[in-house]
Amino acid sequence: MDKAELHEARTNPEFLNYLEQTRVDAIKSENISALYEVLDSMLILDLDEEKINNVYENILKISFERIETIVNGGKKLKLEKDELLYIRSFYEHAIEKWSYNDFSGAKEFFFLLSNIVEDEHLVGAINVHLVACSKEMDMESFYENSVDVNVMDLEERYGYFIVNFTFDIQTFLAQNDAILKREFENLKHLLD
């Protein structure tokens, strides 16, 4: 969207009413897909921060409940349909914590994700994040030094996640195996 289109969307009463009604309905029906559509639209349009936070809180609440149900049922989450959005919300929450240098909180969420997601590529990437947080590497440095921003053939299902690095994931994880084992030992109580 260019500036004119953004301005039109921000000031179009019909669109804003539609967005607000969708927000209210999505919260009531706990429709995570619709909530993410609303959240993404509100962020792009830079709308009311309080409502954005409310949508995000509802996304997290729904995700926490649904993930708990799935995991307690002895299953792992797949990168498809609503489960992809549950994973996205946990991941974004971990990234948010990391961006505020809450390494402990970020590690907990990355650890949980690495144990509840059924996708080898994403789990490997999440474990890279876990190692970086364990080393207390700030997110900006991690992004500048470790993330390969030139990869264009990204599968759509990985679009919400950092999965391409300037190094081979398996080699990196092997080199940091002791750190991962220590973190897994320290955080395994979260799986109980």
Side-chain angles (χ1 to χ4, degrees):
M1 287 184 133
D2 64 25
K3 287 184 178 184
E5 291 170 323
L6 282 172
H7 179 72
E8 167 61 25
R10 275 190 202 107
T11 57
N12 181 325
E14 285 180 23
F15 177 73
L16 293 174
N17 286 337
Y18 164 78
L19 196 60
E20 176 62 14
Q21 190 59 51
T22 303
R23 182 186 75 83
V24 170
D25 293 345
I27 290 171
K28 186 185 287 186
S29 65
E30 297 187 342
N31 181 336
I32 194 160
S33 179
L35 281 169
Y36 259 118
E37 286 179 30
V38 169
L39 179 67
D40 292 342
S41 295
M42 292 177 85
L43 288 169
I44 289 168
L45 298 175
D46 195 25
L47 297 178
D48 184 334
E49 188 175 336
E50 192 173 311
K51 285 187 180 180
I52 289 172
N53 290 335
N54 177 263
V55 171
Y56 185 61
E57 288 169 13
N58 276 281
I59 286 170
L60 288 175
K61 178 180 139 305
I62 293 164
S63 293
F64 278 63
E65 291 170 0
R66 304 276 164 77
I67 288 173
E68 184 177 17
T69 300
I70 292 166
V71 172
N72 286 343
K75 296 178 182 165
K76 289 192 172 195
L77 286 90
K78 296 177 178 18
L79 285 174
E80 54 190 42
K81 300 178 183 165
D82 283 355
E83 289 184 17
L84 170 62
L85 299 176
Y86 305 150
I87 296 166
R88 174 185 171 185
S89 70
F90 254 50
Y91 180 81
E92 289 172 344
H93 196 58
I95 292 290
E96 180 181 24
K97 288 184 174 297
W98 189 6
S99 72
Y100 289 111
N101 293 325
D102 178 359
F103 299 110
S104 178
K107 284 191 303 187
E108 289 177 357
F109 278 90
F110 289 136
F111 169 78
L112 287 170
L113 280 168
S114 73
N115 283 279
I116 64 173
V117 171
E118 188 176 288
D119 185 276
E120 190 175 328
H121 184 58
L122 182 57
V123 169
I126 288 169
N127 282 331
V128 169
H129 294 50
L130 182 57
V131 169
C133 286
S134 182
K135 293 179 177 183
E136 296 194 355
M137 181 184 295
D138 69 87
M139 188 155 167
E140 188 175 319
S141 297
F142 172 78
Y143 196 82
E144 288 176 6
N145 300 316
S146 301
V147 177
D148 186 348
V149 295
N150 297 314
V151 175
M152 296 298 179
D153 64 341
L154 193 65
E155 287 182 51
E156 187 177 336
R157 64 186 173 154
Y158 297 120
Y160 301 112
F161 313 102
I162 299 170
V163 295
N164 295 301
F165 303 98
T166 57
F167 48 77
D168 178 71
I169 292 174
Q170 296 313 317
T171 303
F172 177 87
L173 294 177
Q175 292 168 343
N176 290 281
D177 188 56
I179 291 172
L180 272 179
K181 284 181 177 169
R182 183 184 72 233
E183 292 298 349
F184 272 62
E185 185 61 32
N186 291 340
L187 297 170
K188 67 182 181 184
H189 68 278
L190 297 172
L191 298 173
D192 295 335

